[in-house]
Amino acid sequence: MINETLQKTPSLFAWSVSDHDGVEKYFKIIFHEHEEGAKQIAKYAMRYKVEELVAHREPKFDRYAALGYVPVSELLIYGWSAVCGGCGKTISLTQKRSFKDVMTEGEEIWCNIDCFIKQRFREKKHNDSNHQRENVCTPVQLEL
């Protein structure tokens, strides 16, 4: 029964999606069986018409399909940029000097420990006001 389920489970492929000019890339990799499905998902995030989008296969990221996302540290290695969750600055490996204390956790990134602490403080304040339990995390510092 389990083998039948695994065989019926479709393979998900990694796609990067951009506008027709290739200028604006979607902020993360989309996992889907087909190009059109990936474009449909990006359409809602980018607020474009599907006809204006182009999807490109990213086979190097296929191995993350089961995880559901590509770790931001891996995207940076392949030349992508990311936005700091604390201050909103754009971070890329080409800016090593500016961002030597970068911290990452899954899909999240912070340009330094101060931004990480500020964001966690804001989350705690928000969670306390909603009487929710605080999430525990273990960020990892990148060596650039």
Side-chain angles (χ1 to χ4, degrees):
M1 178 74 172
I2 293 174
N3 287 337
E4 290 176 21
T5 304
L6 290 175
Q7 290 173 353
K8 291 180 182 177
T9 304
S11 295
L12 296 178
F13 301 105
W15 301 89
S16 64
V17 181
S18 62
D19 62 11
H20 67 282
D21 294 331
V23 174
E24 185 177 342
K25 264 195 173 171
Y26 185 53
F27 61 95
K28 65 181 185 178
I29 295 294
I30 297 170
F31 294 100
H32 202 277
E33 300 169 50
H34 307 287
E35 176 182 358
E36 288 304 313
K39 287 167 41 175
Q40 284 289 338
I41 292 169
K43 168 185 135 175
Y44 294 105
M46 295 172 70
R47 294 184 175 87
Y48 277 88
K49 294 179 184 170
V50 173
E51 306 82 51
E52 298 173 336
L53 297 175
V54 178
H56 299 281
R57 280 281 289 120
E58 298 282 354
K60 62 187 163 279
F61 299 132
D62 285 349
R63 67 180 182 260
Y64 294 105
L67 186 59
Y69 66 90
V70 178
V72 69
S73 56
E74 186 79 2
L75 292 171
L76 290 173
I77 289 168
Y78 283 98
W80 289 57
S81 59
V83 176
C84 175
C87 67
K89 290 180 185 173
T90 300
I91 301 168
S92 73
L93 289 184
T94 58
Q95 302 164 316
K96 279 186 191 177
R97 280 189 235 122
S98 302
F99 297 108
K100 63 182 176 183
D101 298 324
V102 170
M103 298 177 66
T104 68
E105 177 186 55
E107 291 183 282
E108 297 186 70
I109 189 166
W110 303 271
C111 60
N112 57 46
I113 189 71
D114 292 335
C115 279
F116 169 76
I117 291 169
K118 287 175 188 173
Q119 182 200 14
R120 290 301 189 232
F121 178 77
R122 284 190 300 268
E123 288 174 4
K124 183 179 179 342
K125 190 174 176 181
H126 176 75
N127 289 342
D128 287 349
S129 68
N130 289 331
H131 305 290
Q132 295 177 352
R133 203 174 90 160
E134 181 179 351
N135 292 330
V136 178
C137 69
T138 54
V140 178
Q141 186 165 359
L142 283 181
E143 291 186 28
L144 300 177

